[in-house]
Amino acid sequence: EDQVTQSPEALRLQEGESSSLNCSYTVSGLRGLFWYRQDPGKGPEFLFTLYSAGEEKEKERLKATLTKKESFLHITAPKPEDSATYLCAVESGGSYIPTFGRGTSLIVHP
Amino acid sequence: DGGITQSPKYLFRKEGQNVTLSCEQNLNHDAMYWYRQDPGQGLRLIYYSQIVNDFQKGDIAEGYSVSREKKESFPLTVTSAQKNPTAFYLCASKPGGYSPLHFGNGTRLTVT
């Protein structure tokens, strides 16, 4: 059974204070790791897909990296508009059903 | 614009009543999913469908039912057998394979 653990559960940053969110996973044959952003009262919005260890993806202030056991979402010089819940999900061999972590709630103070 | 439409945004029902949540997509995606989201619980899979006229139970299917008569539509019925139906319900779709999900903006159901 696939397992995904995200940490920390909640993170408060000052504007401009860089940090990282962690997504640890246990799967039998990773086929894809996905990062999403969710604003309050909205559906999650897709950010990145990572398929193999060593892969990196970037978008504005966000950078996602992947190893064989975990993924990091690095946030560089965050702004208040980056405040949201960030969700991580994995899909493994033979299943097209993503398993989600519980998310990290990020608040960036001006 | 292509996307997933969930309606209504808010829904209120009395205990003991069945209620149906609508989910429509115009992305031409084969696979559709229903998730339930509770505070601190993350997303839990209720039902999924990878093709028309076929669907499978997820982790928490008890008290729920679905149909997939058309590719575009995947309605979810919350029955009176669901013991704790108050939650935020999310519908999602994807084209198939190992690809990201596209989500609707959810329906918040309150049962009193």
Side-chain angles (χ1 to χ4, degrees):
Chain A
E1 182 182 329
D2 298 347
Q3 293 187 353
V4 178
T5 303
Q6 291 188 246
S7 61
E9 289 185 12
L11 182 62
R12 293 177 180 268
L13 300 173
Q14 289 295 128
E15 184 172 2
E17 180 186 1
S18 301
S19 188
S20 297
L21 282 54
N22 178 262
C23 172
S24 298
Y25 63 89
T26 303
V27 299
S28 54
L30 180 71
R31 292 291 184 265
L33 184 142
F34 308 93
W35 282 99
Y36 298 85
R37 169 194 170 124
Q38 185 176 23
D39 293 306
K42 300 283 185 68
E45 176 186 344
F46 168 69
L47 293 173
F48 303 110
T49 304
L50 300 167
Y51 290 108
S52 57
E55 191 174 358
E56 299 182 351
K57 296 274 181 73
E58 280 189 77
K59 180 180 179 181
E60 296 180 357
R61 296 176 293 282
L62 300 176
K63 179 180 178 180
T65 62
L66 181 65
T67 73
K68 290 186 177 180
K69 295 182 179 180
E70 59 192 348
S71 176
F72 290 95
L73 185 65
H74 305 279
I75 303 177
T76 302
K79 299 181 177 182
E81 52 261 44
D82 294 322
S83 298
T85 295
Y86 291 86
L87 298 169
C88 172
V90 298
E91 287 189 25
S92 61
S95 169
Y96 301 115
I97 312 301
T99 298
F100 281 84
R102 296 188 175 190
T104 293
S105 174
L106 173 66
I107 297 176
V108 181
H109 297 284
Chain B
D1 289 338
I4 298 181
T5 301
Q6 290 188 244
S7 61
K9 186 174 177 65
Y10 299 97
L11 192 53
F12 298 88
R13 282 293 182 270
K14 294 290 187 184
E15 195 173 312
Q17 294 179 336
N18 291 356
V19 60
T20 298
L21 282 58
S22 171
C23 177
E24 302 279 333
Q25 55 104 353
N26 60 4
L27 299 166
N28 199 34
H29 286 172
D30 289 317
M32 296 188 74
Y33 305 76
W34 273 105
Y35 288 92
R36 171 179 172 144
Q37 188 173 36
D38 297 283
Q41 294 269 10
L43 298 179
R44 293 186 289 169
L45 182 65
I46 305 173
Y47 268 97
Y48 64 99
S49 168
Q50 297 190 339
I51 195 169
V52 175
N53 292 322
D54 188 41
F55 48 83
Q56 284 78 42
K57 293 181 179 180
D59 301 319
I60 57 165
E62 185 176 350
Y64 299 98
S65 66
V66 293
S67 63
R68 185 87 187 276
E69 297 177 0
K70 298 186 300 182
K71 188 175 186 178
E72 307 79 37
S73 180
F74 192 40
L76 173 74
T77 296
V78 184
T79 75
S80 57
Q82 168 50 232
K83 295 180 180 179
N84 186 19
T86 295
F88 188 51
Y89 291 87
L90 286 162
C91 180
S93 71
K94 65 174 181 171
Y98 303 110
S99 56
L101 291 169
H102 297 248
F103 284 89
N105 273 328
T107 292
R108 186 166 298 280
L109 173 65
T110 302
V111 177
T112 58

